[in-house]
């Protein structure tokens, strides 16, 4: 038991430090020991299953992660009943994994159960409820239920402001995510104002050199690009990209989003070489890390499209397009928008599509 506990603690510490390969070795051994000594339904075994599921999720082994999160839920239900607050965390984690797999109906069930347990056992205004409302808002945007998305977004913001404060970085990120809904509903002025407010709040709380500030900056740059304000967009995106590289490292996958947006500006300015250099780097970053299939597919498709439309490396462009389509299929409902975008593009560029 002592060895299992030590491996559990060490593995969780390694996972928090993003030393995923080493963490998995420790956690897999801890889980095997606890299953053998205590049985699969023991609460200590459940804790290791949940920790192992989170570590597997971080490296993109999503199907395996789901199995361990499901095991954690089952063991706690067996030991404590379906309404116990100890189910809040494993259900929330299961929802994250289902969403990453594109299983939005299953994610909604898990997150809704977790939220209901928080509201019943803790408080409707508990800070963890804000995160779950924000998750459910993003899910409802993905399936097109904008009314439900607004209800969840407004609840998330209200709770975050009341519990964390208006300037807390988590509140700012929730507000930034809320702008996805505003953009979908055509409220572009409101979205821009909300993003600028979130940027200012983040700067006040953690500074302009924090990765959260850069993440919101990329979102603002994207909005400005879509609004046709290329010079402002480029300034915000270059500043955000530099901050991401300083704060997270030049090889971090979140850098790819900034590169993708700047590449779109380069293409609009007829600077193909600069755009391709950014897109090649973005693809290298996301292929070296484990990110959601839909996110990977969007970046792969951007490179495929740029190559094909400018008659560069046609065979490679076709292979990348096929890869993007495959990733969009793997994304389930979350990949629906990407699949539609690829299909519409192929109608206009039939020669670029790979043979059936």
């Amino acid at each position: 038991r002592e060895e299992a506990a030590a491996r559990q603690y060490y593995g969780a510490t390694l996972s928090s430090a993003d030393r995923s390969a080493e963490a998995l070795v420790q956690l897999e051994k801890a889980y095997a020991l606890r299953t053998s000594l205590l049985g699969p339904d023991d609460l200590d075994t459940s804790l290791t299953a949940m920790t192992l599921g989170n570590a597997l999720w971080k490296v993109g082994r999503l199907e395996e992660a789901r199995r361990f999160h499901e095991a954690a839920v089952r063991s706690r239900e067996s030991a404590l009943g379906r309404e116990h607050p100890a189910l809040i965390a494993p259900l929330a984690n299961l929802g994250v994994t289902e969403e990453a797999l594109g299983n939005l109906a299953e994610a909604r069930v898990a997150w809704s159960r977790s939220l209901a347990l928080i509201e019943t056992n803790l408080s409707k205004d508990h800070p963890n409820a804000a995160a779950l409302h924000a998750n459910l808002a993003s899910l409802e945007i993905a399936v097109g239920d904008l009314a439900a998305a607004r209800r969840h977004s407004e609840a998330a913001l209200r709770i975050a402001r009341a519990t964390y404060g208006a300037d807390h970085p988590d509140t700012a990120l929730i507000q930034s995510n809320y702008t996805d809904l505003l953009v979908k509903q055509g409220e572009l002025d409101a979205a821009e104002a909300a993003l600028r407010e979130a940027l200012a709040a983040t700067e006040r709380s953690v500074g302009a050199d924090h990765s959260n500030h850069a993440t919101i900056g990329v979102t603002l740059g994207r909005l400005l690009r879509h609004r046709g304000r290329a010079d402002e967009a480029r300034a915000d995106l270059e500043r955000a990209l530099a901050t991401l590289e300083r704060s997270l490292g030049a090889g971090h996958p979140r850098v790819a989003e900034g590169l993708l947006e700047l590449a779109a500006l380069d293409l609009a300015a007829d600077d193909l070489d600069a755009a391709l250099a950014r897109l090649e780097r973005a693809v290298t970053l996301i292929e070296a890390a484990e990110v959601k299939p839909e996110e990977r597919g969007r970046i792969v498709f951007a490179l495929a499209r740029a190559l094909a439309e400018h008659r560069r490396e046609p065979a490679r462009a076709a292979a990348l397009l096929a890869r993007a389509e495959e990733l969009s299929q793997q994304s389930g409902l979350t990949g629906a928008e990407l699949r539609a975008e690829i299909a519409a593009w192929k109608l206009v560029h039939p020669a670029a599509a790979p043979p059936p």
Side-chain angles (χ1 to χ4, degrees):
R1 290 194 180 201
E2 291 78 6
E3 181 185 349
R7 289 186 182 277
Q8 158 75 32
Y9 177 79
Y10 187 38
T13 302
L14 290 168
S15 184
S16 296
D18 289 330
R19 294 167 60 182
S20 298
E22 298 165 85
L24 287 171
V25 170
Q26 298 301 324
L27 292 169
E28 286 167 349
K29 289 180 178 177
Y31 184 75
L33 283 168
R34 283 184 162 168
T35 302
S36 174
L37 293 169
L38 307 173
D41 291 336
D42 182 85
L43 292 179
D44 284 341
T45 307
S46 170
L47 173 62
T48 303
M50 186 168 64
T51 310
L52 180 53
N54 288 339
L56 289 164
W57 178 87
K58 288 180 73 172
V59 299
R61 291 163 59 180
L62 300 179
E63 293 288 355
E64 294 171 85
R66 177 171 59 181
R67 288 198 294 273
F68 281 102
H69 287 313
E70 287 174 338
V73 169
R74 283 195 305 270
S75 63
R76 294 188 183 199
E77 287 178 336
S78 175
L80 303 169
R82 287 179 55 84
E83 304 305 319
H84 197 280
L87 282 160
I88 291 169
L91 282 167
N93 292 334
L94 176 60
V96 170
T97 302
E98 294 285 17
E99 189 267 345
L101 285 164
N103 302 328
L104 299 193
E106 291 82 355
R108 183 190 285 113
V109 169
W111 282 335
S112 297
R113 276 191 67 193
S114 184
L115 179 60
L117 289 172
I118 289 174
E119 293 177 339
T120 300
N121 291 280
L122 301 174
S123 165
K124 289 187 176 181
D125 293 330
H126 192 277
N128 288 353
L132 285 162
H133 276 299
N135 288 346
L136 285 163
S138 295
L139 184 153
E140 299 299 355
I141 290 172
V143 301
D145 190 342
L146 300 187
R150 182 175 285 275
R151 288 195 300 274
H152 284 298
S153 293
E154 290 175 348
L157 264 178
R158 176 183 57 78
I159 295 167
R161 285 169 174 162
T163 56
Y164 297 135
D167 281 355
H168 193 280
D170 288 350
T171 304
L173 281 178
I174 288 172
Q175 180 162 320
S176 175
N177 293 337
Y178 181 37
T179 62
D180 290 343
L181 172 64
L182 295 175
V183 169
K184 288 280 186 182
Q185 295 183 319
E187 301 177 41
L188 303 186
D189 288 340
E192 183 176 338
L195 284 169
R196 293 193 184 282
E197 182 181 327
L199 267 180
T202 303
E203 185 168 353
R204 287 191 296 269
S205 59
V206 293
D209 287 333
H210 195 279
S211 62
N212 283 10
H213 192 275
T215 297
I216 298 169
V218 170
T219 305
L220 176 59
R222 181 185 304 118
L223 176 60
L224 293 172
R225 179 174 70 81
H226 284 298
R227 302 196 78 179
R229 289 151 61 184
D231 291 342
E232 293 175 72
R234 185 177 293 277
D236 281 332
L237 287 166
E238 288 178 345
R239 185 162 48 247
L241 178 62
T243 301
L244 286 170
E245 291 176 330
R246 282 196 307 272
S247 59
L248 300 176
H252 197 283
R254 279 170 61 187
V255 170
E257 281 296 323
L259 292 168
L260 180 65
E261 293 301 323
L262 282 166
L265 288 172
D266 292 333
L267 287 170
D270 294 324
D271 192 345
L272 176 62
D273 289 339
L276 289 177
R278 294 191 203 273
L279 290 171
E280 293 282 8
R281 184 181 167 204
V283 168
T284 298
L285 289 176
I286 56 102
E287 293 291 11
E290 293 294 343
V291 299
K292 295 178 185 178
E294 189 272 341
E295 294 175 10
R296 189 190 304 271
R298 279 192 300 109
I299 292 171
V300 171
F301 176 51
L303 177 57
R305 184 173 55 194
L307 288 171
E309 289 180 4
H310 295 85
R311 295 181 174 83
R312 298 279 188 95
E313 303 180 64
R316 181 169 176 241
L320 286 166
L321 180 62
R323 172 72 170 142
E325 289 185 290
E326 177 189 0
L327 289 164
S328 75
Q329 293 296 334
Q330 292 175 10
S331 304
L333 282 172
T334 56
E337 189 172 322
L338 176 60
R339 287 194 293 276
E341 185 180 354
I342 293 173
W345 183 85
K346 285 171 65 177
L347 287 175
V348 179
H349 302 86

